[in-house]
Amino acid sequence: MSEVTPPAGAAPEVVFRDGLAAGELRFQRCGKCAAAVFQPRVLCPACGSDDLGWERSSGRGTVYSTTAVRGREGMHNVSLVDLDEGFRMMSRVDDVDADQVVIGTRVGFATVEQDGTPVAVFRAGGRHVQQSAAARDGRPGAGVPQDKEQS
């Protein structure tokens, strides 16, 4: 976990999305009450302070809740993941069949392209997975993410 210094006046959602584009999971921490804050916002939901700083998450967490959603295009999961830094986010676990995701599974953050935009997903095993720069840039033959174990 390390601090992030965003451009002055950058909207919280822009700072978060820029992090995804860089293969990082960013969240805010309140300077007044130390609460971890996610979704990005301008005021701390715990104490109302506007003293929110940015940090990089380790990307490691635990599946808190999950459900398999069935539709015409097939099945996918929607999971709530408790990150080790103290915040919860909704995403999906994308390397396990949708109906096989288990509550309590250790997962790691990864970014994947969806409709030309990087999105946050998780993969089983608690490893942070970062896509290669070539894959993020959409270069031919570079679409396979590279696993990078974060200590």
Side-chain angles (χ1 to χ4, degrees):
M1 181 171 49
S2 60
E3 291 185 22
V4 175
T5 305
E13 184 66 19
V14 171
V15 177
F16 173 71
R17 294 280 171 206
D18 287 350
L20 290 180
E24 301 172 350
L25 179 57
R26 296 178 181 177
F27 69 102
Q28 296 166 293
R29 185 157 315 269
C30 180
K32 183 175 179 184
C33 73
V37 177
F38 189 85
Q39 288 279 25
R41 52 189 83 208
V42 295
L43 297 175
C44 174
C47 72
S49 173
D50 64 354
D51 183 16
L52 296 175
W54 284 94
E55 296 182 12
R56 287 179 191 90
S57 170
S58 68
R60 293 187 185 98
T62 304
V63 175
Y64 171 81
S65 177
T66 187
T67 189
V69 179
R70 291 164 177 83
R72 288 190 176 125
E73 285 88 40
M75 187 169 40
H76 67 279
N77 71 75
V78 176
S79 297
L80 295 177
V81 176
D82 285 341
L83 279 295
D84 291 353
E85 292 82 8
F87 65 97
R88 179 176 292 158
M89 72 180 286
M90 185 182 298
S91 184
R92 70 180 190 253
V93 179
D94 77 346
D95 64 340
V96 178
D97 289 340
D99 58 352
Q100 298 300 309
V101 179
V102 176
I103 293 171
T105 300
R106 291 292 292 167
V107 292
F109 162 78
T111 56
V112 296
E113 294 288 325
Q114 184 173 307
D115 298 326
T117 303
V119 295
V121 299
F122 289 88
R123 299 209 170 122
R127 295 177 52 193
H128 174 104
V129 181
Q130 184 174 15
Q131 210 172 31
S132 70
R136 282 195 311 271
D137 294 343
R139 288 182 242 161
V144 179
Q146 296 178 352
D147 289 359
K148 290 190 176 179
E149 184 81 35
Q150 300 290 314
S151 309

